[in-house]
Amino acid sequence: MPKTKKPRKAYRPRGVIKDPVGYVLEGMSRVSKDKVLHTLTVHHDAMVRLTKGQGTVDDWRVVTGSLNMAAVLDEQVYDCAYQDELSEALKAHGRCGVRHWNGGNFGYTGPDLQLVNFALSVHDEQMAKATVGEIERALAESERRSRNPKEHISVRKMAQQQKEQAIG
């Protein structure tokens, strides 16, 4: 017998799916119109509050989540059809966050607002056409990216870069 025997891994049972066929079919079905309408209403209400100057950090995060979701859905499902526009919209939304970080309130410039509105309209169409499985995969990927600092656009870093550019 070898002296250094590899230790056994702890047994961790997986969750049991009681209806595997129903689970697969649910992932292939479209999202109900009520859920899509509710989600889009929340996103657009947050955007309206941000543009009127009444936005909070939570509103900003809601719009950030929808833009991130649109970018991930575009990559995973739609073969990067709007990749450039969505990345520019994320940067524009980040500049809005930088204004708040620097002591002002949330606000967009005209071109930034156009970019973000276009990205939200792309997200609306994606949500109307996506299946439950595609949305679940996109949510998992966007959450993974938000935890990874290399793939996450930080408002703090953007504010520091803006200050460095103003000084230099």
Side-chain angles (χ1 to χ4, degrees):
M1 300 257 324
K3 291 183 180 179
T4 58
K5 189 174 179 182
K6 196 173 180 181
R8 283 188 57 202
K9 292 184 180 177
Y11 173 69
R12 293 190 182 97
R14 294 185 182 203
V16 176
I17 300 172
K18 294 182 181 179
D19 182 18
V21 174
Y23 179 75
V24 170
L25 290 176
E26 181 183 329
M28 294 170 40
S29 65
R30 300 266 184 230
V31 182
S32 70
K33 291 184 180 183
D34 294 337
K35 289 182 182 179
V36 170
L37 185 63
H38 173 72
T39 304
L40 298 180
T41 302
V42 170
H43 295 166
H44 286 286
D45 284 346
M47 188 65 188
V48 167
R49 284 191 293 275
L50 285 174
T51 56
K52 288 186 177 181
Q54 302 166 350
T56 63
V57 175
D58 291 332
D59 294 330
W60 188 82
R61 287 183 180 149
V62 165
V63 175
T64 303
S66 64
L67 292 175
N68 286 333
M69 179 80 164
V72 171
L73 275 172
D74 185 55
E75 290 174 14
Q76 291 181 349
V77 180
Y78 300 106
D79 296 327
C80 300
Y82 294 105
Q83 183 178 14
D84 297 334
E85 293 88 348
L86 292 172
S87 65
E88 288 299 317
L90 277 166
K91 290 176 187 175
H93 187 63
R95 288 190 291 269
C96 171
V98 167
R99 286 185 200 90
H100 178 72
W101 182 268
N102 289 335
N105 60 352
F106 291 106
Y108 294 100
T109 61
D112 288 351
L113 183 61
Q114 288 177 343
L115 288 169
V116 173
N117 280 335
F118 177 76
L120 286 177
S121 67
V122 168
H123 179 62
D124 294 350
E125 289 298 317
Q126 288 173 340
M127 290 295 287
K129 295 179 180 178
T131 63
V132 174
E134 292 169 347
I135 291 174
E136 286 176 352
R137 283 191 297 276
L139 274 174
E141 177 65 17
S142 64
E143 288 174 5
R144 185 196 65 79
R145 288 182 185 182
S146 69
R147 288 189 301 269
N148 188 353
K150 291 181 181 177
E151 297 183 26
H152 180 65
I153 296 176
S154 171
V155 173
R156 181 179 298 149
K157 288 180 185 177
M158 286 179 71
Q160 289 171 350
Q161 288 173 356
Q162 218 176 42
K163 286 181 182 179
E164 290 171 1
Q165 289 175 354
I167 292 172

